[in-house]
Amino acid sequence: MKRHSLARKSSAARFFTQLFLSRLRPKNAWKLVFIFFLLTVVRSQLNVSSVSDHDAYRAGLQPVSKWRAYGLQGYPGFIFIPNPFLPGYQWHWVKQCLKLYSRKPNVCNLDKHLVTGETQDLWEQSKEFLRYKEVNKRRPRSLLEKLRWVTLGYHYNWDSKKYSADHYTPFPSDLAFLSEQVATACGFQGFRAEAGILNYYRLDSTLGIHVDRSELDHSKPLLSFSFGQSAIFLLGGLKRDEAPTPMFMHSGDIMVMSGFSRLLNHAVPRVLPSPEGESLPCCLETLLPADLPRDSVVEPCSVEDWQVCASYLKTARVNMTVRQVLAVGQDFPLEPTEENKRDVTTGFCHLDDETSQVKRARLNTDC
């Protein structure tokens, strides 16, 4: 009776979120998601000839002909691609998220808590803490471990839920190239990576129910790249009261939301720790090859750098979402002067964890 009462009091998506958060042990959550996914999965077709094997290789991807792609019944435009990365090449993208993309001039959640300069280079201030994490478990958390989000390109304003021409820094060229290859393989030639939101999850972090509608051009897809520990993803409907479909996101997995699925509600109610304790997924155990192509956007990763990344990812997950904000030839609408002066670091990101003093009910739900 209690379960039915809970379902009546909240939307179906919220009910599933609460179910995964508080009722299911990790082992049972794996079973439930697996059953749901088997009932709804269908094969998706990719545009194999649109991306050359060489361009895929430059981005650290297998030839598109070797990718597996799936959709979900009732969700046209949703594409799920299980880890298409070449062995070892995830290392580059993990390192970029932790070492490069977290640097200034990009914007992060820590900017409003620390003085100017303290967030200039989070990697340098955190690497020694993380490298010796196993030795000193009582140490305070490093700044990287306190990082929750970073914005790239057109910086998302958490208060106004808008992008603007005033708040822009150059989008990383390597991530733009990766995104363009994936979008093209999925049938979206001409995709331009203009904005990115990186979410950094601890084991107790969640991502609230939301719709990504702030981009001005919804005809282009939303791309999502996952690295590190596995998570449960809920894909709902156009309305919050529609029951969602749960699925896993493992390290290296890519999701594409386009067409009808572009504006669907979705959430991440749970990050699942490894059954083996604090350990890395098997796909992250392979070394990044030393002999990279000359024109590869992937860069070498030193053993010292990977020690820091591996220490972080044993209890964390990183997700990159990439979007095209404007249609070709489109400009941002004129905004009142006061709106343009808003600080992009104000407001709360909806990525939350159990230690946060901000209650989930107050979190922003559009990102």
Side-chain angles (χ1 to χ4, degrees):
M1 293 296 292
K2 185 177 180 181
R3 181 173 299 177
H4 294 302
S5 175
L6 177 61
R8 286 196 301 269
K9 291 180 180 178
S10 61
S11 69
R14 190 173 299 280
F15 169 65
F16 269 75
T17 301
Q18 293 172 344
L19 176 68
F20 282 111
L21 276 174
S22 61
R23 297 181 177 224
L24 292 179
R25 296 179 179 178
K27 183 177 180 180
N28 292 332
W30 285 83
K31 291 179 180 178
L32 182 58
V33 173
F34 184 70
I35 293 172
F36 267 92
F37 196 70
L38 283 181
L39 291 174
T40 58
V41 69
V42 294
R43 289 300 297 263
S44 288
Q45 296 297 317
L46 296 173
N47 193 342
V48 175
S49 62
S50 63
V51 177
S52 69
D53 290 355
H54 180 69
D55 280 344
Y57 188 22
R58 289 180 61 201
L61 298 165
Q62 299 179 51
V64 178
S65 59
K66 295 185 177 181
W67 296 9
R68 293 168 295 146
Y70 304 95
L72 293 175
Q73 294 177 3
Y75 297 96
F78 178 81
I79 304 172
F80 179 80
I81 306 171
N83 186 13
F85 289 93
L86 291 164
Y89 280 75
Q90 289 186 54
W91 281 29
H92 169 80
W93 301 107
V94 171
K95 184 191 70 173
Q96 296 297 81
C97 288
L98 296 178
K99 185 176 182 178
L100 184 65
Y101 301 159
S102 61
R103 288 180 185 168
K104 294 299 159 219
N106 297 328
V107 180
C108 73
N109 64 293
L110 298 177
D111 291 335
K112 64 189 177 84
H113 301 295
L114 303 173
V115 299
T116 303
E118 287 185 308
T119 59
Q120 186 68 30
D121 194 333
L122 302 180
W123 173 272
E124 284 300 319
Q125 298 185 60
S126 304
K127 63 182 183 181
E128 294 306 316
F129 285 92
L130 287 166
R131 189 170 287 135
Y132 299 106
K133 179 171 140 181
E134 299 298 323
V135 178
N136 185 10
K137 292 185 178 291
R138 291 189 175 183
R139 62 168 178 77
R141 285 192 301 170
S142 65
L143 289 181
L144 269 180
E145 291 170 294
K146 296 178 181 179
L147 187 63
R148 291 296 173 264
W149 55 262
V150 166
T151 55
L152 311 171
Y154 288 116
H155 296 285
Y156 183 74
N157 187 313
W158 303 100
D159 262 359
S160 66
K161 296 183 173 60
K162 294 179 180 179
Y163 301 96
S164 72
D166 292 356
H167 301 301
Y168 176 83
T169 55
F171 194 92
S173 59
D174 57 347
L175 182 54
F177 185 79
L178 170 69
S179 302
E180 289 161 8
Q181 308 318 303
V182 172
T184 300
C186 293
F188 295 95
Q189 286 83 359
F191 175 84
R192 297 179 303 169
E194 295 179 326
I197 297 179
L198 314 184
N199 282 324
Y200 299 78
Y201 295 77
R202 309 305 299 170
L203 293 180
D204 57 0
S205 299
T206 65
L207 186 65
I209 305 163
H210 68 285
V211 175
D212 294 275
R213 60 165 61 91
S214 297
E215 296 72 32
L216 301 185
D217 182 11
H218 295 151
S219 68
K220 298 298 187 291
L222 172 72
L223 310 180
S224 172
F225 304 86
S226 295
F227 303 105
Q229 300 301 316
S230 299
I232 294 172
F233 178 78
L234 297 180
L235 183 62
L238 294 172
K239 298 180 180 178
R240 292 168 69 94
D241 59 358
E242 296 181 48
T245 296
M247 67 196 79
F248 287 124
M249 289 187 291
H250 300 304
S251 191
D253 291 349
I254 299 174
M255 291 194 306
V256 179
M257 298 178 69
S258 66
F260 170 81
S261 295
R262 177 63 178 79
L263 296 175
L264 295 182
N265 282 277
H266 53 282
V268 179
R270 192 164 186 174
V271 177
L272 294 171
S274 170
E276 285 77 34
E278 292 190 9
S279 63
L280 292 176
C282 294
C283 61
L284 291 176
E285 299 286 358
T286 305
L287 297 175
L288 175 65
D291 54 337
L292 299 171
R294 279 188 186 176
D295 57 352
S296 174
V297 301
V298 174
E299 299 174 350
C301 179
S302 69
V303 173
E304 292 76 15
D305 280 356
W306 184 248
Q307 285 177 343
V308 177
C309 294
S311 176
Y312 177 90
L313 280 187
K314 285 179 180 179
T315 56
R317 169 181 178 263
V318 179
N319 178 251
M320 310 187 300
T321 56
V322 179
R323 310 106 189 282
Q324 179 170 329
V325 177
L326 300 168
V328 176
Q330 186 178 22
D331 293 319
F332 288 101
L334 294 176
E335 297 284 353
T337 304
E338 290 303 315
E339 183 69 17
N340 286 336
K341 290 183 178 180
R342 285 193 176 211
D343 182 359
V344 295
T345 65
T346 58
F348 296 115
C349 176
H350 59 258
L351 183 62
D352 190 25
D353 57 45
E354 292 179 356
T355 60
S356 173
Q357 297 179 355
V358 184
K359 295 183 179 179
R360 287 189 174 86
R362 298 182 58 193
L363 297 174
N364 288 337
T365 56
D366 183 356
C367 101

